[in-house]
C-alpha cells in the first residue's frame, strides 16, 4: 500500500481545467501517456482524433480570419493557464462574525485571487458584477509582469505594494495604451468565467472609451451568442463645459455563461420578478388576494358607494365591481372586500427590461450616500447601490441562496447591495469581494479620515452598512452582515524542492518541517481548504485531544490535525467525525510507517476501501 498522497499546494492548472472540460464532451479524443514529471499515467489529447471529430471545421495558420487581436494577447492567454504558488491567509481581527458569516472579503491582486478560488468555487457563482478601470487615460491598471525589473518599474512610474503587486497608471501616451488594458481585462475574464455556474451571468460597467473593445473580448470569452445586452444608464447630470456633447451615461454589458440555460431557469428576465405569496388555489390556478379599495380615497377621485354591505372608496365603478363579483373574483375576508390576483396574470403582465435605465443611478447620489454613512468623503465616484440592486433582483430572485462575486470591488457597493436585498426579501445571498490593497492618496479626505487603503474603507463601509440595514429591518433577524477577511500571501511552505546534489544531511530537517515560521494552524487549514476545493465560508470548529488540536470544517467536509506526533486517540477522534477529507502534516508522524498505519485505522473505523483511503487522506 502506498503512503498518503501529498496535497497539491498551488492554484488550479488552467490547461488541466480546459482538458477536463474537453473530456466531458469528447472523451474519445483522449489517450494515455506517462507524465515525465511524476511518472504517473495521465490523460492527453490525440489531436488527429480531435480533428476527425471536428470534421472540416478546423483551421491552422489561416492567412485571413475574423478575430480581435492586440499586442500581448498571447501572453495574456498564457497567464490564464499558469498556476501560482500563493495562498489566502485569514485575518480574523478585521472580520465580523467570523464563526457564522458566509461572506468573504479578500485583499490582493484579483487575477491571483481568482486563480486561487478556482478549486473551491469552480461553477458556483451565480452572478458577477465588476466595475473595472475605464481606461480614460488616468486610470490605474494591474501590471501582470511580476518579473519587471527595477529599471522598468522606474520607467513606468507606477505603484507597488508590500507583496509585489503592481498597478501602473495607463496614460494615453503609452504606446500600448489599449493593448495593456485589453490584456489586463482579458485574462481576468477568462478565469472568472470558470467560476460562473451554468445559468449564471456577468454584468460589467464600462465607459465609452473601451466599450467596443470590451464587447469583442467578451464575445470571445463568453461567446457572442451569450451576449444579452449593452445597457445604458444615466450616471450623472449633464455638464455645460463638457466637450461637444455631455456624456452622462455609462454602459452595463450583460452576458450569460449559457444563455439557453439562463433563460430556461429565469422563466423571463423582467423588472418586476414574480413575487412570493400566490398561496391560494382554485380551478383557474394559483392566486393571492389584493386590495379592491381605492388608494387615496376621494383625493384621487375614486368612486364612493356601498357594495356587499361595505361603504367606501373603490378602485372600480359599481358596474365593474358587480361583474367581477359575478365572475367569482371579489371575495369577503376579515379585512373587508378583496380581489383575486392570479399568478398567470402576473406572468403575462411582467414588464420586459429595456436597454435604457433612467433610474436614480447617479454617482453624485452614491457619493453623498457613502459620505453620510462614513461621516466623511472617503471614495471618489462610488457605484450607485441601486444599479446593482436592479441587476440582483433580475437574476437572483429565484435563487436567494446564491453567491455574488465582485473582483473590482472598490468601496464594496456590491456587498452593500447584497445585504440590502437580503433584508428586503429574506434571502441568504453570499458575497465575495476582491480588492487590490491600493493606498489612498496622501492628503486625501480618506487619508485624513484614517483610511490608508481602499480595503480599509470598504471593510468599514460593510460594517456600517450592515448595522444600518439591521436597524432599518428589525424583522430580518437572521440577516448575515458579517464577513471573513483574507489576504493573499506567498505560500505557507518553504521551497524545499532540490535535486539529490543540492542538499546535504544537515538540510534533511527542512523537508520534515517545511512550514514557514510565521504561519499558524489557521493559515494551514485555510490553505488546505483552498487546495482541496473546500469553500472558505463553511463553518468550522476545533477540539483538543491528547494536547493536539483537531479542526473540523462543516461537520466533516474536512478534518485536519497539524500537531507533532499525533497519537492513536487523535486519529480515532478524527475518524469519529465521519470525514470526507482528512489532512495531516508531515511532522504529525515520527516515521513513514506511522503514515501507513493511519490507512488501516481509517479503513477499520470507517469501512473505507484502499481506494477510499488513498482518495480521502492527504499530507502536507
Amino acid at each position: 500500500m502506498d503512503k498518503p498522497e501529498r496535497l497539491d499546494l498551488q492554484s488550479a492548472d488552467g490547461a488541466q481545467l480546459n482538458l477536463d472540460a474537453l473530456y466531458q464532451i469528447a472523451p474519445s479524443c483522449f489517450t494515455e501517456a506517462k507524465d515525465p514529471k511524476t511518472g504517473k499515467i495521465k490523460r492527453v489529447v490525440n489531436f488527429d482524433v480531435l480533428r476527425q471529430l471536428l470534421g472540416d471545421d478546423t483551421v491552422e495558420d489561416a492567412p485571413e480570419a475574423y478575430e480581435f487581436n492586440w499586442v500581448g494577447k498571447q501572453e495574456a492567454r498564457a497567464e490564464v493557464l499558469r498556476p501560482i504558488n500563493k495562498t489566502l491567509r485569514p485575518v480574523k481581527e478585521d472580520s465580523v462574525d467570523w464563526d457564522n458569516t458566509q461572506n468573504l472579503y479578500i485583499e490582493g491582486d484579483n487575477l491571483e485571487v481568482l486563480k486561487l478560488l478556482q478549486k473551491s468555487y469552480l461553477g458556483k457563482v451565480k452572478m458577477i458584477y465588476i466595475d473595472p478601470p475605464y481606461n480614460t487615460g488616468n486610470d490605474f491598471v494591474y501590471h501582470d509582469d511580476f518579473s519587471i525589473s527595477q529599471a522598468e518599474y522606474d520607467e513606468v512610474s507606477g505603484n507597488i505594494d508590500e507583496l509585489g503587486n503592481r498597478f501602473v497608471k495607463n496614460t494615453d501616451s503609452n504606446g500600448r495604451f489599449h493593448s495593456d488594458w485589453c490584456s489586463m481585462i482579458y485574462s481576468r475574464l477568462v478565469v472568472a468565467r470558470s467560476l460562473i455556474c451554468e445559468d449564471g451571468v456577468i454584468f460589467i460597467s464600462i465607459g465609452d472609451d473601451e466599450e467596443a473593445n470590451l464587447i469583442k473580448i467578451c464575445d470571445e470569452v463568453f461567446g457572442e451568442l451569450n451576449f444579452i445586452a449593452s445597457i445604458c444608464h444615466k450616471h450623472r447630470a449633464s455638464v455645460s463645459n463638457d466637450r461637444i456633447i455631455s456624456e452622462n451615461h455609462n454602459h452595463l454589458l450583460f452576458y450569460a455563461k449559457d444563455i439557453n440555460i439562463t433563460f430556461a431557469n429565469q422563466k423571463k428576465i423582467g423588472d418586476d420578478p414574480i413575487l412570493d405569496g400566490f398561496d391560494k388555489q382554485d380551478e383557474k390556478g394559483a392566486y393571492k388576494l389584493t386590495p379592491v379599495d381605492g388608494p387615496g380615497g376621494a383625493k384621487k377621485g375614486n368612486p364612493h358607494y356601498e357594495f356587499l354591505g361595505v361603504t367606501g372608496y373603490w378602485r372600480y365603478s359599481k358596474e365593474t365591481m358587480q361583474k367581477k363579483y359575478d365572475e367569482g373574483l371579489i371575495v369577503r375576508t376579515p379585512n373587508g372586500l378583496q380581489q383575486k390576483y392570479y399568478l398567470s396574470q402576473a406572468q403575462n403582465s411582467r414588464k420586459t427590461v429595456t436597454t435604457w435605465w433612467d433610474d436614480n443611478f447617479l454617482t453624485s447620489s452614491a457619493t453623498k450616500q457613502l459620505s453620510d454613512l462614513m461621516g466623511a468623503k472617503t471614495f471618489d465616484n462610488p457605484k450607485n447601490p441601486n444599479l446593482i440592486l436592479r441587476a440582483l433582483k433580475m437574476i437572483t430572485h429565484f435563487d436567494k441562496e446564491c453567491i455574488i462575486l465582485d473582483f473590482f470591488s472598490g468601496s464594496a457597493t456590491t456587498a452593500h447591495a447584497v445585504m440590502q436585498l437580503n433584508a428586503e426579501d429574506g434571502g441568504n445571498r453570499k458575497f465575495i469581494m476582491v480588492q487590490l490593497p491600493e493606498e489612498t492618496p496622501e492628503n486625501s479626505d480618506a487619508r485624513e479620515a484614517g483610511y490608508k487603503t481602499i480595503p480599509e474603507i470598504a471593510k468599514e463601509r460593510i460594517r456600517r452598512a450592515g448595522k444600518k440595514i439591521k436597524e432599518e429591518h428589525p424583522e430580518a433577524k437572521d440577516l448575515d452582515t458579517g464577513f471573513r477577511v483574507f489576504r493573499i500571501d506567498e505560500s505557507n511552505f518553504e521551497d524545499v524542492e532540490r535535486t539529490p546534489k543540492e542538499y546535504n544531511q544537515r538540510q534533511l530537517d527542512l523537508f520534515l518541517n517545511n512550514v514557514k515560521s510565521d504561519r499558524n494552524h489557521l493559515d494551514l487549514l485555510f490553505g488546505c481548504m483552498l487546495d482541496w476545493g473546500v469553500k472558505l465560508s463553511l463553518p468550522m470548529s476545533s477540539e483538543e485531544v491528547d494536547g493536539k488540536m483537531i479542526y473540523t470544517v462543516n461537520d466533516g467536509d474536512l478534518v485536519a490535525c497539524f500537531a507533532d506526533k499525533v497519537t492513536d486517540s487523535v486519529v480515532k477522534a478524527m475518524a469519529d467525525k465521519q470525514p470526507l477529507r482528512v489532512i495531516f502534516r508531515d511532522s504529525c508522524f515520527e516515521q513513514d510507517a506511522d503514515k501507513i498505519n493511519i490507512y488501516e485505522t481509517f479503513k477499520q473505523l470507517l469501512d473505507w476501501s484502499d481506494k477510499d483511503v488513498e482518495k480521502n487522506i492527504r499530507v502536507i
Side-chain angles (χ1 to χ4, degrees):
M1 190 182 298
D2 294 332
K3 292 185 293 185
E5 287 191 28
R6 292 191 171 275
L7 192 63
D8 184 12
L9 302 176
Q10 64 178 11
S11 68
D13 184 321
Q16 187 59 50
L17 292 177
N18 290 338
L19 286 169
D20 292 342
L22 180 60
Y23 185 76
Q24 295 301 313
I25 59 173
S28 60
C29 72
F30 282 78
T31 186
E32 293 182 343
K34 182 178 286 188
D35 188 332
K37 293 181 180 178
T38 65
K40 294 183 177 181
I41 299 297
K42 67 174 185 177
R43 289 197 305 251
V44 294
V45 176
N46 184 324
F47 271 106
D48 289 336
V49 176
L50 180 59
R51 287 190 186 95
Q52 289 176 353
L53 291 176
L54 298 176
D56 296 331
D57 294 325
T58 60
V59 64
E60 288 186 36
D61 301 322
E64 292 183 337
Y66 175 76
E67 62 180 329
F68 179 47
N69 226 329
W70 64 87
V71 176
K73 184 176 183 180
Q74 292 211 21
E75 175 55 30
R77 277 186 180 142
E79 179 57 47
V80 168
L81 304 179
R82 198 173 292 136
I84 60 171
N85 193 22
K86 292 196 174 186
T87 192
L88 296 178
R89 298 182 65 187
V91 188
K92 286 189 74 171
E93 60 271 20
D94 284 4
S95 305
V96 174
D97 196 17
W98 174 273
D99 290 332
N100 301 305
T101 186
Q102 299 181 68
N103 301 315
L104 305 179
Y105 187 91
I106 305 174
E107 299 178 31
D109 178 282
N110 54 13
L111 178 57
E112 295 183 329
V113 173
L114 290 171
K115 287 184 177 185
L116 289 173
L117 293 178
Q118 276 184 303
K119 290 182 179 178
S120 298
Y121 292 90
L122 194 74
K124 291 184 171 65
V125 174
K126 178 75 171 189
M127 175 179 141
I128 293 177
Y129 169 81
I130 56 171
D131 184 22
Y134 287 7
N135 211 26
T136 61
N138 296 301
D139 291 319
F140 285 91
V141 298
Y142 294 65
H143 198 296
D144 295 333
D145 180 9
F146 297 101
S147 62
I148 186 171
S149 69
Q150 184 61 47
E152 290 171 321
Y153 172 67
D154 291 339
E155 182 181 347
V156 296
S157 300
N159 293 273
I160 183 169
D161 68 15
E162 68 277 7
L163 296 177
N165 297 315
R166 302 177 187 278
F167 44 105
V168 299
K169 200 163 191 175
N170 193 29
T171 64
D172 51 16
S173 61
N174 173 17
R176 292 173 39 153
F177 177 63
H178 290 291
S179 293
D180 282 354
W181 187 90
C182 288
S183 292
M184 182 275 296
I185 199 70
Y186 177 84
S187 56
R188 285 158 177 81
L189 289 178
V190 172
V191 181
R193 182 187 178 277
S194 70
L195 303 181
I196 303 175
C197 61
E198 289 306 304
D199 66 341
V201 303
I202 184 169
F203 292 93
I204 310 173
S205 285
I206 196 66
D208 283 345
D209 301 83
E210 293 290 355
E211 190 221 5
N213 287 337
L214 183 57
I215 287 177
K216 292 187 181 77
I217 289 172
C218 287
D219 282 350
E220 178 174 329
V221 172
F222 298 99
E224 62 180 303
L225 292 177
N226 292 314
F227 170 75
I228 297 176
S230 176
I231 298 164
C232 278
H233 66 87
K234 185 176 180 179
H235 82 104
R236 67 171 187 143
S238 299
V239 179
S240 59
N241 61 357
D242 275 344
R243 58 180 186 180
I244 307 176
I245 292 178
S246 183
E247 295 176 3
N248 66 345
H249 72 280
N250 276 333
H251 302 273
L252 187 64
L253 297 191
F254 182 13
Y255 280 79
K257 175 82 169 279
D258 186 318
I259 196 167
N260 294 319
I261 299 176
T262 296
F263 277 90
N265 290 356
Q266 283 294 127
K267 313 300 191 290
K268 177 182 176 185
I269 291 180
D271 277 341
D272 49 345
I274 299 170
L275 303 178
D276 300 326
F278 291 88
D279 55 353
K280 297 176 175 56
Q281 188 87 19
D282 65 13
E283 67 280 0
K284 295 180 181 178
Y287 70 91
K288 64 180 177 180
L289 295 175
T290 61
V292 75
D293 53 314
K299 290 183 180 179
K300 292 195 174 182
N302 298 104
H304 183 270
Y305 53 85
E306 179 186 313
F307 191 80
L308 298 181
V310 181
T311 301
Y313 291 93
W314 308 103
R315 292 176 181 264
Y316 312 108
S317 68
K318 196 168 186 175
E319 292 75 21
T320 300
M321 286 279 279
Q322 186 62 52
K323 184 173 183 295
K324 285 180 172 286
Y325 177 72
D326 293 342
E327 294 172 350
L329 300 178
I330 304 293
V331 296
R332 187 190 294 275
T333 74
N335 296 322
L337 302 183
Q338 291 188 294
Q339 63 179 326
K340 294 180 179 180
Y341 182 56
Y342 288 91
L343 179 59
S344 58
Q345 292 175 271
Q347 290 172 324
N348 293 332
S349 64
R350 292 178 71 201
K351 181 182 175 184
T352 301
V353 176
T354 69
T355 54
W356 169 241
W357 291 6
D358 193 15
D359 297 326
N360 181 17
F361 301 143
L362 298 183
T363 301
S364 56
S365 300
T367 302
K368 184 180 185 309
Q369 181 184 6
L370 182 57
S371 298
D372 291 345
L373 180 68
M374 303 292 285
K377 184 182 178 184
T378 55
F379 197 86
D380 293 331
N381 304 317
K383 222 60 187 173
N384 196 304
N386 291 334
L387 176 68
I388 303 169
L389 270 170
R390 184 167 180 180
L392 285 168
K393 289 177 180 177
M394 285 168 51
I395 298 303
T396 70
H397 176 76
F398 297 102
D399 189 358
K400 296 178 182 178
E401 299 282 329
C402 63
I403 298 173
I404 291 91
L405 168 66
D406 184 343
F407 54 89
F408 284 96
S409 64
S411 67
T413 302
T414 301
H416 192 156
V418 169
M419 293 188 297
Q420 181 68 45
L421 184 55
N422 282 341
E424 291 176 5
D425 69 3
N428 187 32
R429 302 166 184 85
K430 300 96 175 168
F431 64 74
I432 302 176
M433 300 292 105
V434 182
Q435 176 59 42
L436 189 76
E438 182 181 341
E439 293 187 355
T440 55
E442 294 284 350
N443 303 319
S444 64
D445 291 335
R447 184 65 67 92
E448 290 180 7
Y451 301 104
K452 295 181 181 178
T453 66
I454 290 177
E456 288 182 10
I457 297 170
K459 287 179 286 188
E460 184 60 21
R461 190 237 182 109
I462 301 173
R463 295 184 192 108
R464 296 190 182 202
K467 181 181 178 183
K468 185 172 184 287
I469 291 169
K470 279 189 169 181
E471 290 171 352
E472 294 172 346
H473 294 271
E475 75 283 1
K477 297 189 182 348
D478 297 325
L479 182 64
D480 184 0
T481 58
F483 54 97
R484 287 180 177 174
V485 177
F486 294 87
R487 192 169 292 142
I488 200 166
D489 205 338
E490 299 301 323
S491 169
N492 289 321
F493 304 93
E494 301 285 359
D495 181 9
V496 295
E497 288 192 7
R498 302 283 191 277
T499 65
K501 294 180 180 179
E502 291 177 320
Y503 68 85
N504 55 46
Q505 193 68 26
R506 288 174 299 177
Q507 293 176 307
L508 288 178
D509 285 346
L510 182 63
F511 292 82
L512 296 176
N513 187 14
N514 61 340
V515 177
K516 291 178 178 174
S517 59
D518 64 336
R519 307 303 162 95
N520 57 38
H521 286 184
L522 211 55
D523 291 324
L524 298 181
L525 178 62
F526 279 100
C528 291
M529 290 168 67
L530 269 181
D531 293 327
W532 212 344
V534 179
K535 289 183 182 177
L536 301 180
S537 58
L538 293 176
M540 58 190 58
S541 60
S542 61
E543 68 169 305
E544 193 172 311
V545 176
D546 285 354
K548 319 293 184 183
M549 196 64 72
I550 298 173
Y551 299 91
T552 304
V553 178
N554 200 34
D555 294 328
D557 277 11
L558 184 147
V559 176
C561 183
F562 306 111
D564 293 340
K565 301 175 183 177
V566 298
T567 63
D568 289 341
S569 298
V570 171
V571 175
K572 288 176 181 176
M574 295 172 73
D576 286 344
K577 300 180 185 301
Q578 300 292 309
L580 299 178
R581 305 171 184 84
V582 179
I583 289 283
F584 290 103
R585 187 174 160 184
D586 257 334
S587 59
C588 289
F589 313 100
E590 291 191 89
Q591 51 190 352
D592 280 348
D594 295 333
K595 296 180 186 178
I596 297 174
N597 287 339
I598 67 170
Y599 271 42
E600 294 304 322
T601 302
F602 279 96
K603 280 176 64 177
Q604 292 170 11
L605 296 178
L606 296 175
D607 196 26
W608 280 357
S609 66
D610 285 346
K611 274 193 172 181
D612 292 331
V613 174
E614 291 173 10
K615 182 181 72 173
N616 299 341
I617 300 178
R618 293 289 184 274
V619 174
I620 59 172

